[in-house]
Amino acid sequence: MEKNVGIPIRLLIIEDSEDDALLTLRQLRKGGYDPVYRIVETPAALENALLEETWDIVLSDFHMPSFDGREALRIVRERGLDVPFVIISGVLVEEDAVEILKSGASDYVRKGNWSRLIPAIGRELREARGRREQQRAEEQEAEAQERYRNLFESAVEGIFQSTPAGRFVTANPAMAVLAGYDSPQELINSVRNISNELYVHSESRDMMLEILEAHGMVSGFEVEVYRKDGSRTWIVINSRGLFDDSGKLELIEGFVVDISKRKRAEAELANMNQQLEQLVADRTSELEQKALELEQANRRLQEVDQNKTAFLSSVSHELRTPLTSVLGFAKLIHRDFCKVFLPTSGVDEKMNRMGDRICDNLDIIVNEGERLTRLVNDFLDLVRIEAGRMNWDDQRVSPTRILKGAADAVNGLFVETPGLDLVFDVPEDLPDMTIDPDRMTQVIINLLNNAVKFTHKGHVALRAAPDTESDAIQIQIEDTGVGIPVDDIAKVFSKFHQVKGQEGKDIGTHGSGLGLSISQQIVEHYGGTIRVQSEVGQGSTFFLTLPLNRE
Ligand code: ADP
């Protein structure tokens, strides 16, 4: 048994003699082949064999009863197959051999000449393989070319080749569209000098050529170009130079992208920026102007305020001195007249009545004089505080002592008002604080006085407690008096504000409308706050917060 170790080969044998065919097969096996084969002897069988399978080689007899080798070759070639076709024939005249080779047979070998047939088959197979490979390579190349052509044709970027002199060598459709031409061919034919006809500034192209010559490539080169219709557009070019053997620039090839939209957006942005800057500049100068005006107004106000302070201060001083002597003499006259002179006036009714009237009038003078003195003193206090000229005699003191002192000072008022109690609710151990004791007493007395003045019955309470959380003491002066209408609450701390139509009682001190204002200034000087809660008919509570440890 022969072993199948040979080269596989698919063999189509056209032969009317099976013996001859088998002989050939045997020789082939001997020659190192391992054939898979089919033997056909009619055109129809040949057609089928070609249709059903592919063959590496066809070996054909020339003279057969039903058809000859010429006919067989025609059938094979008509199918478009370039499979090696080797004629094996007994007798073949020279002309037939030449003719059949001309019409496409690969070779012919005499029957029985095995030493020629085997190498011939090898050669044919090799050549066929070579042909197939070459064909495949060609197909691949054609495919690649087709791919590149597609890429070139359908690219959205413009692709071009141009000469340094300024003619297009190639251009793709996108390039033509970009420049406003109908086709690449039209672009190539129409533009004879790219620098002059396409570039808005021909120097730009010179510059690009210079860069190409120096560096071999240019990227991101932005230029403005004319389109066919004369309109302008911005493009960006990425290109490289191709040089001849002597190093001379021969061709420029590259990509072009239309950036007119981006350029327009950039221009709009720049424009907007400019407008914005202008707007900001306008606003800034407007603001500067306003600030200047404000500063001037402020300076004028300060001047006015200083003038006012100086005026009030001098007027108050000027008033105080004569007032002191008027009041002093009025008191003296009152005492001399009412206590010494009047009792000696005898029994004349008329004289006594007149004397009493003079006493009453002198009383009024003394009271009004005292009121005026208080007003002037309050005035001076306020002016000094506001002008920062107040002398603060700060000491380490116990707030409890101050609160007690203030309560004692107003105690007489409660004795005079039956039905009104003073509630004193202050712990003994309030922590010490640094403050001017006279000023703090002044604030508390003022608040207690007000409370008594506007409370007819019930109580006035003075309470205090330390507030460890905010490191302060909280003081409350609470009354059950007439209260303050909502509209006035925010105004009671303003200078001279007095609630209209309020039923206060005469406690010998006519208000100046400055007490709360001064109190607020003092409390704020020590970093504290003062506020009021009140309800008409129910009473008022003033809340004071004084920090214990001030920076
Ligand atoms: P005055 O010297 O007139 O009391 P203040 O500045 O001390 O001035 O008070 C201003 C005004 O606030 C008072 O005239 C009064 O109308 C109102 N007021 C102050 N304290 C009380 C209070 N406890 N109850 C009701 N009204 C008050």
Side-chain angles (χ1 to χ4, degrees):
M1 278 280 293
E2 281 175 74
K3 263 192 168 175
N4 289 344
V5 288
I7 303 159
I9 178 174
R10 302 185 61 78
L11 194 63
L12 180 59
I13 302 173
I14 306 168
E15 178 64 82
D16 57 337
S17 149
E18 199 180 347
D19 287 347
D20 284 356
L22 293 178
L23 194 60
T24 306
L25 282 167
R26 198 165 325 123
Q27 288 304 322
L28 273 172
R29 286 194 187 98
K30 268 192 194 158
Y33 290 100
D34 175 20
V36 173
Y37 64 94
R38 193 189 290 196
I39 303 167
V40 294
E41 57 179 309
T42 63
L46 175 61
E47 294 266 10
N48 280 343
L50 293 173
L51 206 66
E52 285 161 12
E53 282 178 71
T54 56
W55 303 101
D56 294 327
I57 193 159
V58 181
L59 298 183
S60 174
D61 193 1
F62 195 73
H63 298 293
M64 287 167 290
S66 54
F67 71 137
D68 66 6
R70 210 181 278 118
E71 173 73 357
L73 177 62
R74 194 185 53 74
I75 290 170
V76 171
R77 295 298 180 232
E78 253 174 21
R79 300 217 133 259
L81 301 169
D82 75 338
V83 54
F85 191 98
V86 177
I87 302 280
I88 305 173
S89 126
V91 228
L92 194 66
V93 287
E94 189 70 21
E95 297 88 79
D96 284 344
V98 171
E99 188 216 320
I100 198 144
L101 281 175
K102 267 190 187 160
S103 52
S106 315
D107 203 350
Y108 85 91
V109 179
R110 278 192 172 277
K111 243 182 203 164
N113 189 352
W114 307 119
S115 61
R116 188 159 125 57
L117 178 69
I118 303 302
I121 285 177
R123 193 185 59 242
E124 287 305 328
L125 283 175
R126 270 196 309 280
E127 279 177 11
R129 194 184 317 126
R131 277 200 304 281
R132 274 202 305 277
E133 273 164 14
Q134 194 185 343
Q135 195 185 350
R136 200 174 309 132
E138 278 167 8
E139 277 168 13
Q140 277 173 356
E141 197 184 314
E143 233 171 67
Q145 270 180 7
E146 176 69 8
R147 269 205 303 275
Y148 284 122
R149 210 180 57 79
N150 277 342
L151 213 64
F152 179 76
E153 292 291 320
S154 57
V156 282
E157 293 92 357
I159 305 173
F160 71 92
Q161 278 183 325
S162 65
T163 64
R167 289 220 57 163
F168 280 112
V169 180
T170 43
N172 71 343
M175 182 72 214
V177 169
L178 219 133
Y181 289 83
D182 294 336
S183 68
Q185 211 45 52
E186 192 198 357
L187 173 72
I188 292 167
N189 294 342
S190 314
V191 178
R192 310 209 150 246
N193 186 327
I194 295 176
S195 296
N196 296 338
E197 294 166 40
L198 234 59
Y199 280 59
V200 173
H201 305 288
S202 59
E203 317 82 72
S204 304
R205 186 156 194 270
D206 298 340
M207 200 198 291
M208 187 179 79
L209 293 181
E210 263 174 45
I211 300 173
L212 275 175
E213 266 160 5
H215 303 286
M217 57 178 290
V218 170
S219 62
F221 196 79
E222 295 184 4
V223 281
E224 197 179 12
V225 292
Y226 288 117
R227 294 154 57 88
K228 184 183 165 190
D229 63 4
S231 62
R232 295 171 178 205
T233 186
W234 277 90
I235 57 170
V236 61
I237 306 173
N238 291 307
S239 63
R240 67 177 188 125
L242 303 179
F243 299 86
D244 68 10
D245 292 342
S246 68
K248 204 165 143 269
L249 181 63
E250 215 173 20
L251 216 58
I252 302 118
E253 61 180 21
F255 295 93
V256 170
V257 176
D258 187 335
I259 52 164
S260 50
K261 261 192 203 149
R262 197 196 80 202
K263 280 278 173 187
R264 256 201 308 279
E266 273 173 10
E268 269 169 31
L269 204 68
N271 194 18
M272 262 156 66
N273 266 344
Q274 207 180 345
Q275 281 179 4
L276 213 65
E277 272 166 22
Q278 187 56 43
L279 214 68
V280 170
D282 288 353
R283 283 282 147 81
T284 309
S285 78
E286 237 173 68
L287 278 178
E288 276 169 1
Q289 181 62 25
K290 287 267 158 62
L292 202 72
E293 284 170 16
L294 264 178
E295 205 180 291
Q296 283 168 351
N298 198 20
R299 209 171 307 131
R300 276 200 302 277
L301 270 177
Q302 275 174 1
E303 276 168 22
V304 170
D305 198 51
Q306 275 165 8
N307 287 344
K308 181 209 75 182
T309 308
F311 171 75
L312 285 179
S313 166
S314 80
V315 167
S316 306
H317 278 294
E318 293 301 317
L319 275 177
R320 209 155 66 143
T321 321
L323 197 59
T324 314
S325 77
V326 168
L327 195 60
F329 281 115
K331 280 181 179 169
L332 207 62
I333 294 169
H334 182 269
R335 198 194 61 204
D336 288 352
F337 183 79
C338 304
K339 296 215 171 99
V340 182
F341 194 74
L342 193 60
T344 63
S345 65
V347 288
D348 186 334
E349 262 299 294
K350 206 172 155 203
M351 288 298 270
N352 275 337
R353 269 212 311 281
M354 194 181 275
D356 283 345
R357 210 167 54 235
I358 291 173
C359 268
D360 287 348
N361 289 345
L362 281 171
D363 246 353
I364 292 174
I365 292 176
V366 169
N367 275 338
E368 289 301 301
E370 279 176 342
R371 192 163 89 89
L372 208 55
T373 308
R374 271 198 311 278
L375 181 66
V376 171
N377 284 341
D378 280 356
F379 240 153
L380 274 175
D381 274 356
L382 206 60
V383 166
R384 275 198 218 109
I385 295 174
E386 283 183 352
R389 289 209 310 267
M390 180 69 127
N391 289 326
W392 303 95
D393 183 16
D394 290 349
Q395 298 166 25
R396 202 72 191 147
V397 290
S398 148
T400 311
R401 275 233 333 264
I402 293 177
L403 296 176
K404 258 191 192 152
D408 287 347
V410 298
N411 199 32
L413 300 174
F414 289 89
V415 177
E416 284 168 22
T417 322
L420 185 65
D421 299 323
L422 173 64
V423 178
F424 186 77
D425 178 15
V426 176
E428 280 295 333
D429 55 354
L430 280 178
D432 284 0
M433 64 189 297
T434 303
I435 202 162
D436 182 336
D438 289 345
R439 295 296 154 213
M440 186 169 168
T441 308
Q442 182 182 355
V443 172
I444 305 297
I445 288 183
N446 179 40
L447 294 172
L448 287 171
N449 264 338
N450 281 348
V452 174
K453 190 163 34 168
F454 297 105
T455 310
H456 301 282
K457 61 176 190 313
H459 70 257
V460 169
L462 173 58
R463 307 183 205 278
D467 180 349
T468 43
E469 203 173 297
S470 60
D471 195 27
I473 56 169
Q474 307 277 8
I475 302 169
Q476 287 178 25
I477 291 94
E478 172 198 291
D479 66 52
T480 53
V482 297
I484 304 168
V486 182
D487 288 349
D488 289 274
I489 284 195
K491 299 182 200 152
V492 289
F493 295 99
S494 310
K495 287 169 213 160
F496 303 111
H497 187 83
Q498 293 179 316
V499 178
K500 284 203 179 73
Q502 226 177 12
E503 270 186 51
K505 50 182 189 288
D506 185 2
I507 55 167
T509 54
H510 289 285
S512 61
L514 289 174
L516 284 180
S517 190
I518 293 171
S519 300
Q520 188 181 40
Q521 296 273 5
I522 293 172
V523 168
E524 285 178 359
H525 173 80
Y526 288 105
T529 56
I530 180 168
R531 64 187 176 86
V532 61
Q533 250 176 24
S534 184
E535 206 173 312
V536 173
Q538 300 293 312
S540 315
T541 306
F542 284 79
F543 297 88
L544 258 88
T545 304
L546 284 169
L548 280 167
N549 294 298
R550 216 158 48 89
E551 291 279 297

